[in-house]
Structures are given as structure tokens and as C-alpha cells.
Amino acid sequence: MAGRTRYVILGLLSEGPQSGYDLKRIIETRFRFFWNESYGQIYPQIRQLEQERKIRKLDTPDDVRNKQLYAITDLGVKDLRGWMKEPDLKESIRLELLLKVYFAKFASPAVLREHIQAFAMTHEDDLAQLRAFQNELKNIPDPHHNHQDILNVIEFGVKTNLAYLDWCDMMIETLGGLNHDQSK
Amino acid sequence: MAGRTRYVILGLLSEGPQSGYDLKRIIETRFRFFWNESYGQIYPQIRQLEQERKIRKLDTPDDVRNKQLYAITDLGVKDLRGWMKEPDLKESIRLELLLKVYFAKFASPAVLREHIQAFAMTHEDDLAQLRAFQNELKNIPDPHHNHQDILNVIEFGVKTNLAYLDWCDMMIETLGGLNHDQSK
DNA sequence: TGGCTCATGTAATCTGTTACATGATTCT
DNA sequence: AGAATCATGTAACAGATTACATGAGCCA
């Protein structure tokens, strides 16, 4: 009975009405580095929350397209507040890269270096996006008074990504620089 | 068709024969901060690998208890080497704490601080264990010549845990120190 | 003797992704 | 006109945990 999808939906709807599609996009962009949800989770959960009267479907499709907008209800807010007091689920992290580093002797240094460089590139992008998001927040109004909270989350991402990249530098140095490729 | 469990098993067996129970314990202790496997994955996968002749059951129960030991075969090593060249699966990270920080306005600072302190405590423990493992490795022989690889993995853990704790300090400071508890 | 840990295993369940179907709108 | 994106949804599948059953050996 873990089901944190419901709270992600409730939390995001607390900032204003959104569609299932919107929610997916927001989760992908803002929560990318620490959370994920798929359509297969979002749409059924919306149905569920609607039945429980935690959210309600707006009859103003508001958009040119036939988008279904949902808004959080008082009951939904109550649910959200209740969740906040519950202990966190054990965090889950899966980094295949570290398995490969652990079992490194079964690969050539060149192959290992490629894995690390791919990882580094991903996290350089992450870092760049986090920085961009930081700047964006500084230049837009804060109607929900949650910018500081969001900045705190971003700061977590910045710090961990910097740690990742620091480690990557160390590894690349150990494995020999870019021009020491010894693959055939 | 992800199934990385097989490679974890093969990799660990490359250091010497182990039982399913052993493997579980090793994964829990050494891979704790970046990987996990449950019995429901390990035992069926052992069966599967045995059928594929990637591992074989030893007939020397070696232990007083009725423990089934398995050893990797040449075919298994081949499999392991093949996996090393494959691209990594997208890493997966789920940190409920960050959802709560993002939606912080639905909780009191006191509750939020408790979550962060719990997180900090967990990662202080992690860090301590990683340091202990580092020291342990320095004082034991290295028959498989993989200590540096293991130290590299540990170093990743150390760096990320330090980043976590750094962020926690920042958050606790923001939320008011230990003695500013305003709960009833 | 009773309780704990060691040890193997599986069935039921839960969680989450993928792939697809469907159709509208927008862009080139 | 055709391709891409927007948008909703679900069925099938894959991945992973939980809870339990079973029994042996160890410890107090």
C-alpha cells in the first residue's frame, strides 16, 4: 500500500487545475532527478481520486483541445496534509553503473570509461537544467509562495549532481584521459 | 527484459562460491546504497542460471548447515563480460523526502524537520559504514585484485552521502535549529 | 525448552513500464 | 496532405516485495 502517485497528483493540483497529460509533463521536467510516474499510473489514479472526491473534474475544458482538467478538493488537501506526517518510504536507488564499476575487471578500461562518460553527460545536462530552473524561479512571481521550497529541492539536485560529476572526474583520471583509448 | 539480477549473482560468484542466502546478505551490506535484490528474485534466478549452465551447484556443502553453494562457470563469465559492454539502464531514484520538501507548505516546519533529520541520520550511518568498509579493505589481502574497484564504488557513496548531509545541514538551519521546536 | 538466526523456496500481491489504440489539433 | 504533437486511456507484461511455509542448528 505504498501508492505515492496520489500525493504527487494532489500536490501538483494544489497549484492549480491540470490534466493527466499536464501532470505527466510536469513530473518529467521538475521531478525528473528524483521521481517518475507513467501514464499507466497517472490516469487510473486520477479516476480513483475522483471517485474518492479528493479531486474533481472541471467542466470548463478551458483549452482549445479536449483536455480534462482536474482540481483538488478540500478533502484532497486534507489527504495531502495527512501524508506529510507519515514516515517516508525507504528511498530506492538503482545505479547499474556502480555494479559495473564494482565488477570492473570484466571490462576493458575503455568500455568502463564510456559508461562513466555517458553518466557524466547525463548529469551535466541535469545540472544545467537545474541551474536554468533556479534562474527562472528568480524572475517569475511566486503566487503559491512555494519558490523557496522548490529551490530547496533544486539545491539537493545541484549538490548531488556536483558530487556525481566530481566522482566522474576522479574516475576518468584514474582510467586515463580521453586520448588514451586502447580499444582495437 | 531488464533482469540485472543475473549479473549481480554472476559478479558476486566470480569472487568465489556462495549460497543464495549469502548473496542476499552481501547485496544488503555492500550494495545497500545503490542496489537491492529480494529472495523472490535471487532464488528463481539461481535456478535459471543453473539451467543455462552459467553457474553450477557444488556438491561439497562445505558448511555445517545444509547450504547450497554455487560457482560461476566459463559460460557465466562470458555472460558477465557481455553485459559489461551493454549500455546502462536508465538509473532509477525515488526520494519521497524531496516530494515532501517540494510540497512543504502542507506540513509544519517541525514535521518537515523530523523528516530531514531522519534522512540525515540514515545517511550518517551509511557514511560511517562506508568509511569502515574503506578501512577494512586497506587491512585485508586482495586476492581478486578488485579492491580498487570496490574503493571506487565506496568513494561514490561517500561523495553523495556528504552531499546529502551538506544539504540536510542547510535545510535544518533554514527550518530553525534543534531547540526551536514549536510543536505543541 | 524455547527463541533466534540460518537457510531455501514460492505464491500472492503490488508496482510500474511498455506498447498500443484512438482521435484531435497544429505545424510545415 | 502528411507528420508531429497533444491528449486520454488500457491491456499485457515485467519487475520486485511481502508473507508465509518449512526445517535445521545454535544459544541461553
Side-chain angles (χ1 to χ4, degrees):
Chain A
M1 219 167 287
R4 265 42 183 164
T5 305
R6 60 190 304 109
Y7 304 114
V8 175
I9 295 173
L10 290 172
L12 290 176
L13 291 186
S14 79
E15 290 184 33
Q18 308 281 1
S19 69
Y21 191 82
D22 291 338
L23 292 171
K24 177 76 166 87
R25 268 179 24 268
I26 293 171
I27 293 162
E28 262 169 11
T29 56
R30 296 197 209 161
F31 295 172
R32 192 170 32 85
F33 74 94
F34 69 91
W35 203 265
N36 187 50
E37 300 286 353
S38 62
Y39 286 125
Q41 290 163 276
I42 292 172
Y43 283 113
Q45 190 58 239
I46 284 175
R47 199 66 59 241
Q48 179 64 27
L49 285 168
E50 201 189 359
Q51 271 171 34
E52 294 175 15
R53 306 277 181 258
K54 308 276 173 68
I55 66 175
R56 62 192 170 80
K57 189 186 285 189
L58 298 186
D59 41 309
T60 54
D62 186 68
D63 204 86
V64 165
R65 293 164 182 271
N66 56 341
K67 204 194 272 197
Q68 308 292 332
L69 291 179
Y70 295 87
I72 192 168
T73 65
D74 289 349
L75 202 57
V77 171
K78 215 170 151 184
D79 208 8
L80 200 51
R81 290 190 195 282
W83 163 63
M84 278 290 178
K85 292 168 198 153
E86 283 169 32
D88 292 341
L89 292 177
K90 203 191 129 348
E91 65 200 66
S92 97
I93 297 188
R94 290 209 140 199
L95 287 167
E96 190 176 353
L97 177 67
L98 293 187
L99 287 178
K100 285 183 175 150
V101 172
Y102 195 100
F103 300 126
K105 68 169 166 172
F106 295 98
S108 70
V111 163
L112 208 61
R113 196 165 57 239
E114 277 165 36
H115 286 303
I116 292 176
Q117 277 166 345
F119 181 82
M121 261 184 270
T122 300
H123 291 284
E124 274 159 20
D125 288 353
D126 282 359
L127 196 55
Q129 282 208 30
L130 289 166
R131 301 277 202 211
F133 201 20
Q134 263 175 345
N135 287 324
E136 207 187 311
L137 281 180
K138 283 171 196 158
N139 299 316
I140 58 173
D142 185 7
H144 301 288
H145 305 291
N146 64 351
H147 279 197
Q148 188 52 55
D149 299 331
I150 299 175
L151 285 169
N152 287 339
V153 172
I154 294 175
E155 188 58 27
F156 184 99
V158 168
K159 282 185 193 298
T160 56
N161 276 291
L162 285 173
Y164 290 171
L165 292 172
D166 188 26
W167 177 81
C168 287
D169 286 347
M170 182 200 83
M171 288 300 291
I172 293 292
E173 215 170 302
T174 301
L175 290 165
L178 276 162
N179 303 316
H180 298 174
D181 197 315
Q182 60 190 42
S183 62
K184 56 158 184 246
Chain B
M1 218 167 289
R4 267 41 183 163
T5 305
R6 59 189 307 108
Y7 303 115
V8 175
I9 295 172
L10 290 172
L12 290 175
L13 291 186
S14 79
E15 289 183 34
Q18 308 281 0
S19 68
Y21 191 84
D22 291 337
L23 292 171
K24 177 76 165 86
R25 266 178 28 268
I26 293 170
I27 293 163
E28 262 168 11
T29 55
R30 297 198 208 161
F31 296 172
R32 193 170 31 84
F33 73 94
F34 69 93
W35 203 264
N36 188 50
E37 301 285 353
S38 61
Y39 286 126
Q41 290 163 277
I42 291 171
Y43 283 113
Q45 190 57 239
I46 284 175
R47 200 63 60 241
Q48 179 65 29
L49 285 167
E50 200 189 359
Q51 269 171 35
E52 294 175 17
R53 305 278 182 257
K54 309 274 172 68
I55 66 176
R56 65 192 169 80
K57 189 186 287 190
L58 298 186
D59 42 308
T60 55
D62 187 66
D63 204 86
V64 164
R65 293 162 183 272
N66 55 342
K67 203 194 274 196
Q68 308 292 332
L69 292 178
Y70 295 87
I72 193 168
T73 65
D74 289 350
L75 203 56
V77 171
K78 217 169 150 182
D79 207 9
L80 200 51
R81 290 191 194 281
W83 163 63
M84 279 287 178
K85 293 169 197 153
E86 284 169 32
D88 292 339
L89 293 177
K90 201 189 131 348
E91 65 199 66
S92 97
I93 298 188
R94 291 208 140 199
L95 286 167
E96 189 175 355
L97 177 69
L98 293 187
L99 288 178
K100 285 182 175 151
V101 172
Y102 195 101
F103 300 125
K105 67 169 166 170
F106 293 98
S108 70
V111 163
L112 208 61
R113 195 167 57 238
E114 276 166 37
H115 286 303
I116 292 175
Q117 278 167 346
F119 180 83
M121 260 184 269
T122 299
H123 291 284
E124 273 159 20
D125 288 352
D126 282 359
L127 196 55
Q129 282 209 29
L130 288 166
R131 301 279 201 211
F133 201 17
Q134 263 176 346
N135 287 324
E136 205 187 313
L137 282 180
K138 281 171 196 157
N139 299 315
I140 57 171
D142 185 7
H144 301 288
H145 306 292
N146 64 351
H147 278 196
Q148 188 52 55
D149 300 331
I150 298 174
L151 286 170
N152 288 338
V153 172
I154 294 174
E155 188 58 27
F156 184 99
V158 168
K159 282 184 193 298
T160 56
N161 276 291
L162 284 174
Y164 291 170
L165 292 172
D166 188 26
W167 177 82
C168 288
D169 286 347
M170 182 199 84
M171 288 299 292
I172 292 292
E173 214 169 302
T174 301
L175 291 165
L178 275 163
N179 303 318
H180 298 176
D181 197 314
Q182 60 188 42
S183 62
K184 57 158 182 245

